[in-house]
Amino acid sequence: MLSDRQQQIINEAIILIDKKGIQGLTIKNLSKAIGISEPGIYRHFESKFHILAEILDEFKDNINEFNQELMKSNLNSLKKIGKIYQTHFNFFVKNPAIISVIFAEEIFNNDKILYNKINEILKANEELISQIIEEGQNTGEIKNEVDKKQIALIIMGSLRLLVKKWKQNSYSFDLKLEGNKLLETIKILIIK
């Protein structure tokens, strides 16, 4: 469990990455933004790497918890997919700065550990959606003619693209509304 100060550092790091890119996340910039000394940052995190790792671990833990709860639910496959979309869009509307970290895996290319953490998140989401699609195919809700991994790719890719488009357009449209439209279109494509 993070201390209040550690959470503040994490939150400010996300905002710095969003505003200035990964190169803008320096201990110096972070200490200025929070109003504490650089050694004060180091009392809570050993390095910038540890801050980034904590951001990714926190996001991964939240995703894993959500995925477990979703799979235990009695929702049918289409409602589970809807819940995934709704939860992600609600999260990003409340935390738009995190998009610059979570959907910018290229910023972690130079660090194998951080890059692997991003890949674990993507893989967990792909496995969850593939499992939901397979359930829907087994119950007759979702078409069997299309491979579950291809449907999962469409679902994940369209969610990511819509969120990135929202960010690139300075949050100028209603993400939840557009997300619901996207989900309805995907349902038309996959419902048996």
Side-chain angles (χ1 to χ4, degrees):
M1 180 108 184
L2 297 176
S3 69
D4 289 343
R5 181 62 87 183
Q6 286 175 314
Q7 191 62 57
Q8 181 187 22
I9 292 168
I10 294 294
N11 294 343
E12 203 58 49
I14 292 167
I15 291 167
L16 276 171
I17 294 169
D18 187 47
K19 288 181 180 175
K20 298 182 178 192
I22 192 69
Q23 65 280 2
L25 177 62
T26 64
I27 299 300
K28 184 177 184 174
N29 287 344
L30 199 50
S31 68
K32 280 183 189 176
I34 295 172
I36 63 173
S37 68
E38 291 179 43
I41 301 286
Y42 287 115
R43 278 194 290 276
H44 297 284
F45 291 99
E46 288 180 42
S47 67
K48 179 173 128 175
F49 164 84
H50 288 93
I51 294 168
L52 291 168
E54 184 59 43
I55 291 169
L56 296 177
D57 286 342
E58 191 175 312
F59 190 76
K60 181 181 166 193
D61 290 346
N62 289 339
I63 289 286
N64 287 340
E65 184 179 326
F66 169 78
N67 291 356
Q68 288 173 7
E69 288 177 21
L70 184 65
M71 291 313 288
K72 289 178 189 175
S73 75
N74 292 326
L75 298 174
N76 69 28
S77 297
L78 295 173
K79 289 191 190 277
K80 285 179 182 175
I81 293 168
K83 185 76 170 167
I84 291 168
Y85 264 49
Q86 178 187 44
T87 301
H88 278 78
F89 291 137
N90 287 338
F91 177 78
F92 291 126
V93 166
K94 290 179 186 173
N95 307 283
I98 194 75
I99 296 166
S100 297
V101 178
I102 301 303
F103 288 169
E105 52 277 340
E106 65 276 358
I107 67 176
F108 301 113
N109 280 345
N110 294 328
D111 189 295
K112 191 172 182 168
I113 294 170
L114 296 176
Y115 188 77
N116 286 339
K117 286 179 184 287
I118 285 287
N119 280 338
E120 288 172 12
I121 293 168
L122 291 173
K123 188 175 180 180
N125 285 334
E126 182 181 6
E127 287 174 4
L128 171 76
I129 295 170
S130 293
Q131 186 177 351
I132 292 169
I133 298 300
E134 185 174 19
E135 278 180 13
Q137 289 174 329
N138 291 339
T139 60
E141 290 175 84
I142 296 175
K143 293 178 181 178
N144 286 314
E145 298 83 10
V146 182
D147 181 70
K148 66 183 178 184
K149 291 189 180 212
Q150 296 301 312
I151 296 173
L153 186 62
I154 290 168
I155 290 169
M156 288 176 57
S158 59
L159 184 149
R160 289 172 62 89
L161 184 59
L162 182 60
V163 171
K164 287 184 108 169
K165 182 179 175 184
W166 178 64
K167 179 175 175 34
Q168 289 173 337
N169 284 286
S170 303
Y171 318 110
S172 63
F173 60 86
D174 185 330
L175 180 62
K176 294 178 191 179
L177 178 65
E178 291 302 314
N180 285 334
K181 289 179 187 177
L182 178 60
L183 178 61
E184 292 307 311
T185 301
I186 288 172
K187 285 181 182 178
I188 291 168
L189 297 172
I190 67 172
I191 290 177
K192 193 163 193 175

PDB file of all heavy atoms in Angstrom, residues 105 112-125:
ATOM      1  N   GLU A 105       3.128   2.569 -25.085  1.00  0.00           N
ATOM      2  CA  GLU A 105       4.109   1.551 -24.723  1.00  0.00           C
ATOM      3  C   GLU A 105       5.483   1.804 -25.348  1.00  0.00           C
ATOM      4  O   GLU A 105       6.491   1.348 -24.827  1.00  0.00           O
ATOM      5  CB  GLU A 105       3.619   0.139 -25.047  1.00  0.00           C
ATOM      6  CG  GLU A 105       3.140  -0.095 -26.442  1.00  0.00           C
ATOM      7  CD  GLU A 105       1.701   0.317 -26.688  1.00  0.00           C
ATOM      8  OE1 GLU A 105       0.917   0.456 -25.746  1.00  0.00           O
ATOM      9  OE2 GLU A 105       1.371   0.504 -27.860  1.00  0.00           O
ATOM     10  N   LYS A 112      13.514  -3.077 -20.631  1.00  0.00           N
ATOM     11  CA  LYS A 112      12.866  -4.379 -20.826  1.00  0.00           C
ATOM     12  C   LYS A 112      11.858  -4.701 -19.720  1.00  0.00           C
ATOM     13  O   LYS A 112      10.786  -5.234 -19.988  1.00  0.00           O
ATOM     14  CB  LYS A 112      13.933  -5.472 -20.919  1.00  0.00           C
ATOM     15  CG  LYS A 112      13.385  -6.791 -21.368  1.00  0.00           C
ATOM     16  CD  LYS A 112      14.483  -7.791 -21.633  1.00  0.00           C
ATOM     17  CE  LYS A 112      13.859  -9.076 -22.140  1.00  0.00           C
ATOM     18  NZ  LYS A 112      14.822  -9.992 -22.674  1.00  0.00           N
ATOM     19  N   ILE A 113      12.171  -4.358 -18.486  1.00  0.00           N
ATOM     20  CA  ILE A 113      11.272  -4.667 -17.370  1.00  0.00           C
ATOM     21  C   ILE A 113       9.959  -3.899 -17.516  1.00  0.00           C
ATOM     22  O   ILE A 113       8.874  -4.473 -17.397  1.00  0.00           O
ATOM     23  CB  ILE A 113      11.946  -4.370 -16.018  1.00  0.00           C
ATOM     24  CG1 ILE A 113      13.122  -5.335 -15.804  1.00  0.00           C
ATOM     25  CG2 ILE A 113      10.946  -4.480 -14.864  1.00  0.00           C
ATOM     26  CD1 ILE A 113      14.000  -4.996 -14.626  1.00  0.00           C
ATOM     27  N   LEU A 114      10.051  -2.597 -17.793  1.00  0.00           N
ATOM     28  CA  LEU A 114       8.840  -1.786 -17.945  1.00  0.00           C
ATOM     29  C   LEU A 114       8.060  -2.205 -19.190  1.00  0.00           C
ATOM     30  O   LEU A 114       6.828  -2.277 -19.160  1.00  0.00           O
ATOM     31  CB  LEU A 114       9.196  -0.298 -17.995  1.00  0.00           C
ATOM     32  CG  LEU A 114       9.826   0.272 -16.726  1.00  0.00           C
ATOM     33  CD1 LEU A 114      10.226   1.726 -16.940  1.00  0.00           C
ATOM     34  CD2 LEU A 114       8.897   0.144 -15.529  1.00  0.00           C
ATOM     35  N   TYR A 115       8.768  -2.489 -20.258  1.00  0.00           N
ATOM     36  CA  TYR A 115       8.128  -2.940 -21.486  1.00  0.00           C
ATOM     37  C   TYR A 115       7.364  -4.241 -21.249  1.00  0.00           C
ATOM     38  O   TYR A 115       6.234  -4.413 -21.721  1.00  0.00           O
ATOM     39  CB  TYR A 115       9.181  -3.113 -22.586  1.00  0.00           C
ATOM     40  CG  TYR A 115       8.597  -3.386 -23.944  1.00  0.00           C
ATOM     41  CD1 TYR A 115       8.038  -2.367 -24.703  1.00  0.00           C
ATOM     42  CD2 TYR A 115       8.598  -4.678 -24.475  1.00  0.00           C
ATOM     43  CE1 TYR A 115       7.497  -2.614 -25.947  1.00  0.00           C
ATOM     44  CE2 TYR A 115       8.065  -4.934 -25.724  1.00  0.00           C
ATOM     45  CZ  TYR A 115       7.510  -3.898 -26.456  1.00  0.00           C
ATOM     46  OH  TYR A 115       6.969  -4.163 -27.698  1.00  0.00           O
ATOM     47  N   ASN A 116       7.966  -5.148 -20.488  1.00  0.00           N
ATOM     48  CA  ASN A 116       7.296  -6.409 -20.168  1.00  0.00           C
ATOM     49  C   ASN A 116       6.058  -6.195 -19.311  1.00  0.00           C
ATOM     50  O   ASN A 116       5.066  -6.925 -19.446  1.00  0.00           O
ATOM     51  CB  ASN A 116       8.261  -7.377 -19.486  1.00  0.00           C
ATOM     52  CG  ASN A 116       9.260  -7.963 -20.459  1.00  0.00           C
ATOM     53  OD1 ASN A 116       9.047  -7.980 -21.670  1.00  0.00           O
ATOM     54  ND2 ASN A 116      10.382  -8.427 -19.943  1.00  0.00           N
ATOM     55  N   LYS A 117       6.098  -5.210 -18.421  1.00  0.00           N
ATOM     56  CA  LYS A 117       4.920  -4.905 -17.598  1.00  0.00           C
ATOM     57  C   LYS A 117       3.751  -4.461 -18.477  1.00  0.00           C
ATOM     58  O   LYS A 117       2.613  -4.881 -18.273  1.00  0.00           O
ATOM     59  CB  LYS A 117       5.243  -3.831 -16.558  1.00  0.00           C
ATOM     60  CG  LYS A 117       6.104  -4.338 -15.411  1.00  0.00           C
ATOM     61  CD  LYS A 117       6.403  -3.217 -14.423  1.00  0.00           C
ATOM     62  CE  LYS A 117       7.336  -3.686 -13.332  1.00  0.00           C
ATOM     63  NZ  LYS A 117       6.700  -4.573 -12.367  1.00  0.00           N
ATOM     64  N   ILE A 118       4.030  -3.607 -19.461  1.00  0.00           N
ATOM     65  CA  ILE A 118       2.992  -3.174 -20.401  1.00  0.00           C
ATOM     66  C   ILE A 118       2.460  -4.376 -21.178  1.00  0.00           C
ATOM     67  O   ILE A 118       1.250  -4.534 -21.355  1.00  0.00           O
ATOM     68  CB  ILE A 118       3.542  -2.100 -21.368  1.00  0.00           C
ATOM     69  CG1 ILE A 118       3.675  -0.752 -20.658  1.00  0.00           C
ATOM     70  CG2 ILE A 118       2.664  -1.946 -22.598  1.00  0.00           C
ATOM     71  CD1 ILE A 118       2.372  -0.040 -20.381  1.00  0.00           C
ATOM     72  N   ASN A 119       3.356  -5.223 -21.634  1.00  0.00           N
ATOM     73  CA  ASN A 119       2.928  -6.415 -22.378  1.00  0.00           C
ATOM     74  C   ASN A 119       2.071  -7.347 -21.524  1.00  0.00           C
ATOM     75  O   ASN A 119       1.136  -7.971 -22.030  1.00  0.00           O
ATOM     76  CB  ASN A 119       4.136  -7.159 -22.946  1.00  0.00           C
ATOM     77  CG  ASN A 119       4.649  -6.509 -24.205  1.00  0.00           C
ATOM     78  OD1 ASN A 119       3.928  -5.779 -24.875  1.00  0.00           O
ATOM     79  ND2 ASN A 119       5.900  -6.760 -24.529  1.00  0.00           N
ATOM     80  N   GLU A 120       2.381  -7.455 -20.239  1.00  0.00           N
ATOM     81  CA  GLU A 120       1.559  -8.277 -19.338  1.00  0.00           C
ATOM     82  C   GLU A 120       0.143  -7.726 -19.243  1.00  0.00           C
ATOM     83  O   GLU A 120      -0.825  -8.494 -19.211  1.00  0.00           O
ATOM     84  CB  GLU A 120       2.198  -8.329 -17.953  1.00  0.00           C
ATOM     85  CG  GLU A 120       3.450  -9.174 -17.881  1.00  0.00           C
ATOM     86  CD  GLU A 120       4.169  -9.046 -16.539  1.00  0.00           C
ATOM     87  OE1 GLU A 120       3.594  -8.491 -15.576  1.00  0.00           O
ATOM     88  OE2 GLU A 120       5.334  -9.488 -16.457  1.00  0.00           O
ATOM     89  N   ILE A 121       0.009  -6.420 -19.188  1.00  0.00           N
ATOM     90  CA  ILE A 121      -1.317  -5.792 -19.128  1.00  0.00           C
ATOM     91  C   ILE A 121      -2.076  -6.094 -20.412  1.00  0.00           C
ATOM     92  O   ILE A 121      -3.247  -6.501 -20.379  1.00  0.00           O
ATOM     93  CB  ILE A 121      -1.193  -4.269 -18.894  1.00  0.00           C
ATOM     94  CG1 ILE A 121      -0.630  -3.990 -17.498  1.00  0.00           C
ATOM     95  CG2 ILE A 121      -2.540  -3.570 -19.083  1.00  0.00           C
ATOM     96  CD1 ILE A 121      -0.187  -2.557 -17.262  1.00  0.00           C
ATOM     97  N   LEU A 122      -1.426  -5.888 -21.553  1.00  0.00           N
ATOM     98  CA  LEU A 122      -2.074  -6.159 -22.839  1.00  0.00           C
ATOM     99  C   LEU A 122      -2.472  -7.629 -22.964  1.00  0.00           C
ATOM    100  O   LEU A 122      -3.573  -7.944 -23.410  1.00  0.00           O
ATOM    101  CB  LEU A 122      -1.144  -5.765 -23.989  1.00  0.00           C
ATOM    102  CG  LEU A 122      -0.884  -4.280 -24.177  1.00  0.00           C
ATOM    103  CD1 LEU A 122       0.189  -4.041 -25.225  1.00  0.00           C
ATOM    104  CD2 LEU A 122      -2.169  -3.558 -24.539  1.00  0.00           C
ATOM    105  N   LYS A 123      -1.574  -8.517 -22.557  1.00  0.00           N
ATOM    106  CA  LYS A 123      -1.847  -9.956 -22.649  1.00  0.00           C
ATOM    107  C   LYS A 123      -3.014 -10.363 -21.745  1.00  0.00           C
ATOM    108  O   LYS A 123      -3.874 -11.146 -22.145  1.00  0.00           O
ATOM    109  CB  LYS A 123      -0.599 -10.753 -22.290  1.00  0.00           C
ATOM    110  CG  LYS A 123      -0.729 -12.224 -22.541  1.00  0.00           C
ATOM    111  CD  LYS A 123       0.569 -12.966 -22.295  1.00  0.00           C
ATOM    112  CE  LYS A 123       0.368 -14.437 -22.570  1.00  0.00           C
ATOM    113  NZ  LYS A 123       1.574 -15.213 -22.349  1.00  0.00           N
ATOM    114  N   ALA A 124      -3.060  -9.810 -20.534  1.00  0.00           N
ATOM    115  CA  ALA A 124      -4.165 -10.129 -19.612  1.00  0.00           C
ATOM    116  C   ALA A 124      -5.496  -9.685 -20.208  1.00  0.00           C
ATOM    117  O   ALA A 124      -6.491 -10.415 -20.136  1.00  0.00           O
ATOM    118  CB  ALA A 124      -3.931  -9.457 -18.263  1.00  0.00           C
ATOM    119  N   ASN A 125      -5.513  -8.508 -20.818  1.00  0.00           N
ATOM    120  CA  ASN A 125      -6.750  -8.026 -21.436  1.00  0.00           C
ATOM    121  C   ASN A 125      -7.148  -8.878 -22.629  1.00  0.00           C
ATOM    122  O   ASN A 125      -8.320  -9.209 -22.807  1.00  0.00           O
ATOM    123  CB  ASN A 125      -6.605  -6.556 -21.845  1.00  0.00           C
ATOM    124  CG  ASN A 125      -6.678  -5.627 -20.665  1.00  0.00           C
ATOM    125  OD1 ASN A 125      -7.285  -5.934 -19.645  1.00  0.00           O
ATOM    126  ND2 ASN A 125      -6.049  -4.481 -20.783  1.00  0.00           N
TER     127      ASN A 125
END
